[in-house]
Structures are given as structure tokens and as C-alpha cells.
Amino acid sequence: MSQTGRKNMTVSVISGTGAATENGAKIPTVVTGYDNEKHNGRNNANISQPKFIRSDMADVPVQQAAGSTLPLVITRKKGGDDSEDVNYNPFEHRKVEHPTSDMETLVHLLKGSLGSGILAMPMAFMNAGLWFGLVATFAVGALCTYCVHILVKCAHILCRRRKIPMMGFADVAEQAFLDGPPSLNRWSRFIRFMVNSFLVIDLLGCCCIYLVFVATNVKQVVDFYMENELSVRLWIVIVTGPLIFMCLVRNLKFLTPFSMIANILMFVGIIITFIYMFSDLPAPAERDGVVNVVQWPLFFGTVIFALEGIGVVMSLENDMKNPTHFIGCPSVLNLGMGVVIALYTLVGFFGYLKYGPGTEASITLNLPVEEKLAQSVKLMIAIAIFFTFTLQFYVPVSILWKGIANKIAPERQNASEYGLRVFLVIVCCSIAVALPNLGPFISLIGAVCLSTLGMIVPAIIELAVYHEDPGYGRFNWRLCKNIGLILFGIVGFVTGTYISILEFHAEFTGGHVGDH
């Protein structure tokens, strides 16, 4: 907290009502007020309800409350008019060693959003239809972008209210619950745990998908030259071997060269894929404009998986030189997501137009395996995804390790961290071996994790942040809007999960969900 903020705050200590410490002494309850509280004319009934913020950016003692996992300190009452914080600019208090420009942030956003999901977009259109997929992809993309706006805007509001320079995704969720209705305060620790848990599940799920992707593409090329074909499950195990050693690298600096190689190979591979995709296109009338509604949840899960980059959004915004340029109109987010949505729609539309009902879970699998150029594309993109695995793996390991490191003796921490890394790679391998079906796997991860993180959680955060001030607007339009987003996310979660499970079963029995 800044010196100005501390001077404006008067702290009164009410003794005799605090919690007892181990030696029997009582910790006094601390209540805060502000010099301009009466001037603002707000309801002072809530003044006795303390609120809390992170203290890692303020020179004040640490307190704990509401089961929160954040280091917390007492601050002003919840809600309220933000005009009292108008002199506090969180962006001026950020200490970023190497802040990124708008262009650098745009490039990072494109890199974070343009992954292997683009190769699955033709399959998404196959589960929607050519024309319905075209409209729905733009709609879902716009919805995802809007939810990112909600999250970042709420983060800015909370940073200004609580005088915190920056927050991560889980920080925003936790502080929103502490700042919201009293009934939500007790759930602040749970929402933080839930956000981190879904981030870990999402990223480890992506690692499982990467294993299946690499094994499937390598198998297709090798099988062309071998008489005795190996199963995709065996290829997953083979690929996992070298990955175990690569994932033991704990410093991202040593993984940077692999990231550069992966980017180059992916770029070249996608360009060549486009050449194949745009040659000898059939007429649009030969493809279904709208398919069976039963398949739509698979489309939803795949598109969400491909488009949703909400896990990296707060990190990008926190590192910007001009964070106010991230959202708004025009903005880095709008421009970046506009490019991503347009490119994904282009690949999905023409990929399905080219290959029709025979579209595979990855468009690379549709390339003619007998041609050397196509074989090189499959191997280039497989190697790129292989190297990307280690970078994707770094984040969930960091989240999990930070949660358990303080419970392990210092002399055993190195061995324990290496053990955790090996264990997680083996878990990913085991899941991929059990479910080596790329299409429903992608839809399942999108439906379960990203509908939750990308739609449901941002809507709940906005409801908590806007609860008291500025309120839900005329006719409670913010309440209605966010309830709609939550319901849409829940429907996508439930139906996407259910249909993905049915698709797993159907593929194991040699069928497809939409066959009947």
C-alpha cells in the first residue's frame, strides 16, 4: 500500500474481541475507516466488516482471514465508490523488470492462442456443419473474448480498490469473493483452489492430447514403411520415454531453444498444410450446412479448446508497459483475438470443405501419407508439439510444487520435485494410453475445463465485484447477463462432457455419435 493510502486510513483497535493465540493472548480485531467516508455519503453500516488484500506489495504485517490462501491485510470496507481510490494508479506501482510493448504482447497472445487447436478446427466444423460452424465459431469466439474483458476489467477494479499493483487469475477470483457479498467470503479459498485446479487439469489434459497427437502422426508415417504396424498406445509409451528426461529441466531458459524450433516447425508445417487444403476444393453444396444437433457439444468443446487462452491472459496483462491498452476498443486483446478467430474459422471452414465426413481429429492426418512432402509436415508438426509439451508441462508443475514445497524437508526438496515431474509425465502417459482418441479428448478438455475457466468463473467474478458498487445496472442487466453466461457455460460443460464420453465409447466400438 502506498504512503498516501496509509495516511488516508485511520485504524481503530477494538480490544477484547479478537481470536486467541497459542499462548492465550488475544489478537484484537482491526476495523478500518477513511477520512472521506462521510463525504461520500455511503451507507456506513458495513464499516465494521473488515476486508483484506495481499500484503506482499505493502510494508504492513500479514493477517489471515476467511480461509484465504493469500497473504492478507486489513483495508477499507467492501464495495463502495471507487472515487476514493482515484489517486491510486496500480499500473504506476508495478515493478516489471522487462515490460512488454503492445506489439510484443500481441505476439505473445497469438503464440499462446495459436496452438495445436487450430489443427482440430476442421473436425469442429464436421460436428457443426459448414454454415452453422462458420456462424457459431465467430459467436463463441466473441463470447470468449468478452469473458476475457470481464476478467481483466474486474482485475483492474480490484487492484484500484485494494491498492494492489497486479493480480493473477486465482488472485482475482479470491479477492472478488472477499470483496463480494458476505455469503461468498467464506468461499474465497475454495474459488482460488478451484481456479488453480482447473488450470492444472486443463494444462495436463493438453499434455495428454499432445502425446496422442505426436504418437498418431508418427505412427501414420512409420506404418507406411513398416509391414508390422505398432499400436498407437505403444507409440505413446515410446514418445513418453525421452519426454521424461526433457521434463526434468527446471529452468525455462534452457527450454527456449526448443521453443524457437517448435515455432519454426509449426509455422512451416501449417503453411504446407494450407497448400494441400486449398487445392481442388469441392463445391460448398457437397457438404452439410447444419449437422445433427447431437454433435454440437463436440463442436463447442473443440472450439473452446482451440480458442480459449484465458490461462495466459493475466500474465500477459501484468507484464505490459501500458496495461490499459490490453482491453478497450481498439485494444491488444481485440486485435489479437480477432486475428485468431478469423484464422481458426478459415482453417475450420476450408478444412471441412476439403475433406468432408472423412475429416480427422487433426487436419495433418488427412494429408496423403504416400507423399514425401506430406510426411515431412506430419513429422515437423509432431516434433513441434513434442517440444511444446515441456513448456506446457512447466506451468502445472509450478502450481503443484508451490502448493507442497513448504511441507517437504529442505534436504529432500530436489529429489521430491524431480519425483513429482516424473510422476506427472507417467500420469499423462497413462491417461493417453487409456484414451488414445484425439477428437473426443479435445472436446472433453474444452468442455470440462475451459467452459468453467473461460465463461463461468469470469461471470461469477463480475457478479461479486459489482455486487455493491456500481451495482448490477438498470433492470439488473449485469445480473441477467452473467446468469446467462453461467447457464451457457454449465450447458456446455454438461453436454460436452456427456457427448465426449459417448464419443469415446462409440469410437471404441467402431462408430460415431452422429451415426444414429
Side-chain angles (χ1 to χ4, degrees), residues 3 23 28 59 61 77 83 193 251 272 280 322 335 346 365 370 374 401 459 469:
Q3 292 295 331
N23 59 8
D59 301 321
K77 74 185 188 70
S83 61
F193 171 79
N251 193 330
I272 299 175
D280 300 324
N322 299 301
L335 179 59
L346 183 73
L365 299 176
E370 66 277 2
W401 180 246
D469 181 84

Coordinates of all heavy atoms in Angstrom, one line a residue, residues 3 23 28 59 61 77 83 193 251 272 280 322 335 346 365 370 374 401 459 469:
Q3 N 2.2 5.2 0.6 CA 2.2 6.1 1.8 C 1.0 6.9 1.8 O 0.4 7.1 2.9 CB 3.5 7.0 1.7 CG 4.8 6.2 1.9 CD 4.9 5.6 3.3 OE1 4.4 6.1 4.2 NE2 5.6 4.5 3.4
N23 N -0.6 -18.9 23.1 CA -0.2 -18.6 24.5 C -1.3 -18.0 25.3 O -1.2 -17.5 26.4 CB 1.0 -17.7 24.5 CG 0.8 -16.4 23.8 OD1 -0.3 -16.1 23.4 ND2 1.9 -15.6 23.7
P28 N -6.4 -8.5 18.7 CA -7.5 -7.5 18.6 C -8.1 -7.5 17.2 O -7.4 -7.8 16.2 CB -6.9 -6.2 18.9 CG -5.4 -6.4 18.6 CD -5.1 -7.8 18.9
D59 N 4.2 -2.6 3.1 CA 5.0 -2.7 4.2 C 4.2 -2.8 5.5 O 4.2 -1.9 6.4 CB 6.0 -1.6 4.3 CG 6.9 -1.5 3.1 OD1 7.3 -2.6 2.6 OD2 7.1 -0.4 2.7
P61 N 2.1 -5.7 8.4 CA 2.0 -7.1 8.9 C 1.0 -7.9 8.2 O 0.0 -7.4 7.7 CB 1.6 -7.0 10.4 CG 2.0 -5.5 10.7 CD 1.7 -4.8 9.5
K77 N -13.7 -1.0 3.7 CA -14.9 -1.8 3.6 C -15.2 -2.3 2.2 O -14.7 -1.7 1.3 CB -16.1 -1.1 4.2 CG -16.7 0.0 3.3 CD -17.8 0.6 4.1 CE -18.6 1.6 3.2 NZ -19.4 0.9 2.1
S83 N -14.2 6.2 -6.2 CA -13.7 7.6 -6.4 C -12.6 7.9 -5.3 O -11.7 8.7 -5.5 CB -14.8 8.6 -6.3 OG -15.5 8.6 -5.0
F193 N -8.7 -22.3 -5.0 CA -8.3 -23.7 -5.2 C -8.9 -24.2 -6.5 O -8.3 -25.0 -7.3 CB -8.8 -24.5 -4.0 CG -8.6 -26.0 -4.2 CD1 -7.4 -26.6 -4.1 CD2 -9.7 -26.8 -4.6 CE1 -7.3 -28.0 -4.3 CE2 -9.6 -28.2 -4.8 CZ -8.4 -28.8 -4.6
N251 N 14.7 -25.1 -15.5 CA 14.9 -23.7 -15.9 C 14.3 -23.5 -17.3 O 14.8 -24.1 -18.2 CB 16.4 -23.4 -15.8 CG 16.6 -21.9 -15.8 OD1 15.8 -21.1 -16.5 ND2 17.7 -21.4 -15.2
I272 N 2.5 -25.4 -45.3 CA 2.4 -26.5 -46.3 C 1.0 -27.2 -46.2 O 0.4 -27.6 -47.2 CB 3.5 -27.6 -46.0 CG1 4.8 -26.9 -46.2 CG2 3.3 -28.7 -47.0 CD1 6.0 -27.8 -45.9
D280 N -7.9 -28.1 -55.1 CA -9.0 -29.0 -55.6 C -10.2 -29.0 -54.6 O -10.6 -30.0 -54.2 CB -8.5 -30.4 -55.8 CG -7.4 -30.5 -56.9 OD1 -7.5 -29.7 -57.9 OD2 -6.5 -31.3 -56.7
N322 N 2.0 -0.7 -21.0 CA 0.8 0.1 -20.9 C -0.4 -0.9 -20.7 O -1.1 -1.2 -21.7 CB 0.6 0.9 -22.2 CG 1.8 1.9 -22.4 OD1 2.0 2.8 -21.5 ND2 2.5 1.8 -23.5
L335 N -7.7 -7.0 -31.1 CA -6.9 -7.2 -32.3 C -6.4 -8.7 -32.4 O -6.5 -9.4 -33.4 CB -5.8 -6.3 -32.4 CG -4.9 -6.4 -33.7 CD1 -5.7 -6.2 -34.9 CD2 -3.7 -5.4 -33.6
L346 N -11.1 -19.8 -40.8 CA -10.6 -20.1 -42.1 C -10.2 -21.5 -42.3 O -10.6 -22.2 -43.2 CB -9.4 -19.1 -42.5 CG -8.8 -19.2 -43.8 CD1 -9.7 -18.6 -44.9 CD2 -7.5 -18.5 -43.9
L365 N -3.5 -35.5 -40.3 CA -3.8 -36.9 -40.5 C -4.5 -37.1 -41.9 O -4.6 -38.2 -42.3 CB -4.6 -37.5 -39.4 CG -3.9 -37.4 -38.0 CD1 -4.9 -37.9 -36.9 CD2 -2.6 -38.2 -38.0
E370 N 1.4 -41.1 -48.6 CA 2.4 -41.6 -49.5 C 3.3 -40.5 -50.1 O 4.3 -40.8 -50.8 CB 1.6 -42.3 -50.7 CG 0.8 -41.4 -51.5 CD -0.6 -41.2 -51.0 OE1 -0.9 -41.7 -49.8 OE2 -1.4 -40.5 -51.6
A374 N 4.0 -34.4 -47.6 CA 3.0 -34.6 -46.5 C 3.6 -35.3 -45.3 O 3.3 -35.0 -44.2 CB 1.8 -35.3 -47.1
W401 N 3.9 -27.7 -7.3 CA 5.1 -27.7 -6.5 C 5.0 -26.6 -5.4 O 5.4 -26.7 -4.3 CB 6.4 -27.5 -7.3 CG 7.6 -27.5 -6.5 CD1 8.5 -26.5 -6.3 CD2 8.1 -28.6 -5.6 NE1 9.5 -26.9 -5.4 CE2 9.3 -28.1 -5.0 CE3 7.6 -29.9 -5.3 CZ2 10.0 -28.9 -4.1 CZ3 8.4 -30.7 -4.5 CH2 9.5 -30.2 -3.9
A459 N -17.9 -14.7 -15.1 CA -19.2 -14.2 -14.8 C -19.4 -14.1 -13.3 O -20.0 -13.1 -12.8 CB -20.3 -15.1 -15.5
D469 N -21.2 -1.9 -5.5 CA -20.9 -0.7 -6.3 C -20.1 -1.1 -7.6 O -19.1 -1.8 -7.4 CB -20.2 0.3 -5.5 CG -19.9 1.6 -6.3 OD1 -20.8 2.5 -6.3 OD2 -18.8 1.7 -6.9

